[in-house]
């Protein structure tokens, strides 16, 4: 102990072995026998509903989002650990992954649900919003997956769930950049799935249609189409649970949303005529 003034006292030197053991205990993450899921975008919408579904299924949850108060609401009644983070920050993904691994020592499941939207003609979209949508909906997710994957591959098990959108499968008028970001996410999922063959780590792409959440209000324009009708966040969460439980590569909610992609692949001319008519 360092001495200071007349109130100093003397302590014998600490045992180096004991000090090293104590430091190791402090640095060792708490052990849990439950599977660990890191869910981003967990402060609302699909992320929050998915977090609650997996908590009910006995998973240990690490919840991330920008709004701590709403994260607390999501975590209410569970043992979930809150890891507020801004994935738009330059090192946001790296800091979140490091905090998650410090907390539990492993991540068995990543549900990448964070994202934003923007609606309106592409010609009027500010350049700053183009960058923001592309970064949060695509780049930030890729960076987070890159940070989390090494631990999964080293463990020989794990699953990455990427929350896409039907917009990425068909391209939606006046949602050009959002559609581009989600299409990029779908291509990333397919490519990464091939790279990870034989590692024990899987990739699931979740493709919902419109969902009844605050997403549309936050993007500045309510959902106005008559079809497809919005589904509930709880239904999407249930689909995520089923996809993870069954190790599926992809899942569409509702399932008939696979049809537009099939029409596009088989008869692109017909597909575009339908798209021009129905949007």
């Amino acid at each position: 102990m360092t001495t200071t003034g007349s109130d100093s006292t003397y302590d014998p030197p600490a045992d180096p072995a004991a000090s090293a053991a104590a430091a190791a205990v402090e640095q060792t993450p708490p052990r849990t026998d439950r599977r660990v899921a890191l869910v981003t975008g967990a402060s609302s919408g699909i992320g929050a509903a998915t977090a609650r579904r997996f908590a009910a299924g006995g998973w240990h949850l690490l919840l991330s989002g920008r709004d701590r108060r709403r994260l607390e609401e999501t975590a209410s009644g569970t043992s979930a650990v809150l890891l507020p983070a801004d994935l738009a920050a330059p090192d946001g993904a790296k800091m979140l992954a490091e905090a998650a691994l410090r907390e539990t020592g492993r991540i068995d499941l990543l549900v990448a649900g964070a994202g934003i939207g923007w609606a309106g003609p592409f010609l009027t979209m500010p350049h700053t919003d183009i960058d923001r949508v592309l970064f949060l909906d695509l780049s930030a997710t890729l960076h987070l997956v890159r940070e989390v994957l090494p631990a999964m591959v080293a463990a020989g098990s794990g699953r990455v769930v990427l929350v896409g959108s039907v917009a990425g499968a068909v391209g939606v008028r006046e949602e050009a950049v959002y559609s581009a970001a989600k299409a990029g996410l779908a291509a990333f999922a397919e490519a990464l799935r091939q790279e990870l063959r034989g590692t024990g780590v899987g990739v699931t792409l979740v493709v919902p249609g419109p969902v009844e959440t605050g997403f549309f209000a936050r993007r500045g324009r309510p959902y106005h189409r008559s079809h497809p009708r919005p589904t509930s966040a709880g239904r999407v969460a249930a689909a995520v649970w089923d996809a993870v439980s069954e190790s599926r590569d992809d899942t569409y909610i509702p399932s008939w949303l696979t049809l537009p992609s099939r029409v596009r692949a088989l008869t692109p001319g017909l597909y575009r005529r339908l798209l021009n008519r129905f949007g």
Side-chain angles (χ1 to χ4, degrees):
M1 178 174 179
T2 304
T3 60
T4 306
S6 58
D7 294 328
S8 62
T9 58
Y10 173 76
D11 290 335
D15 179 357
S19 298
V25 169
E26 290 179 358
Q27 294 173 6
T28 301
R31 295 182 62 83
T32 175
D33 293 331
R34 292 185 293 164
R35 291 171 295 177
V36 177
L38 170 60
V39 182
T40 69
S43 54
S44 63
I46 294 172
T50 300
R52 286 190 286 266
R53 178 63 186 87
F54 276 81
W59 285 63
H60 181 62
L61 273 295
L62 306 176
L63 306 183
S64 184
R66 289 181 295 174
D67 190 328
R68 185 179 185 89
R69 181 185 61 80
R70 298 188 72 175
L71 282 178
E72 290 172 348
E73 293 176 359
T74 301
S76 178
T78 76
S79 60
V81 175
L82 307 187
L83 299 174
D86 182 4
L87 292 177
D91 292 328
K94 180 179 177 63
M95 293 175 65
L96 173 58
E98 290 177 347
L101 289 169
R102 279 198 307 269
E103 185 65 38
T104 56
R106 77 174 199 266
I107 298 172
D108 301 296
L109 173 68
L110 168 64
V111 180
I116 58 172
W118 195 95
F122 179 67
L123 288 177
T124 68
M125 189 174 186
H127 290 279
T128 53
D129 285 330
I130 293 174
D131 292 340
R132 192 166 63 101
V133 170
L134 286 175
F135 189 82
L136 284 172
D137 289 356
L138 182 59
S139 295
T141 297
L142 269 59
H143 284 294
L144 182 58
V145 172
R146 176 63 183 83
E147 295 292 339
V148 168
L149 266 183
M152 289 186 176
V153 172
S157 65
R159 180 157 294 270
V160 173
V161 173
L162 304 173
V163 179
S165 168
V166 68
V170 301
V172 176
R173 183 171 57 229
E174 297 195 348
E175 294 183 38
V177 177
Y178 178 74
S179 296
K182 293 300 185 179
L185 204 61
F188 171 67
E190 192 62 60
L192 184 62
R193 189 178 296 123
Q194 298 304 313
E195 289 190 29
L196 293 174
R197 289 178 62 186
T199 66
V201 180
V203 180
T204 295
L205 178 68
V206 177
V207 186
V211 184
E212 294 173 340
T213 67
F215 172 84
F216 297 108
R218 287 192 295 272
R219 76 174 187 176
R221 177 187 291 183
Y223 184 76
H224 62 276
R225 294 183 175 89
S226 57
H227 296 285
R229 289 188 172 185
T231 191
S232 68
R235 183 178 179 184
V236 178
V240 174
W241 172 267
D242 291 342
V244 171
S245 300
E246 299 168 12
S247 301
R248 293 184 199 163
D249 287 343
D250 50 47
T251 185
Y252 286 72
I253 309 103
S255 59
W256 67 262
L257 284 179
T258 59
L259 182 59
S261 297
R262 294 175 182 176
V263 173
R264 182 183 185 185
L266 295 173
T267 56
L270 173 61
Y271 165 78
R272 291 191 179 95
R273 288 195 296 274
L274 292 172
L275 195 63
N276 289 338
R277 179 176 180 182
F278 299 106

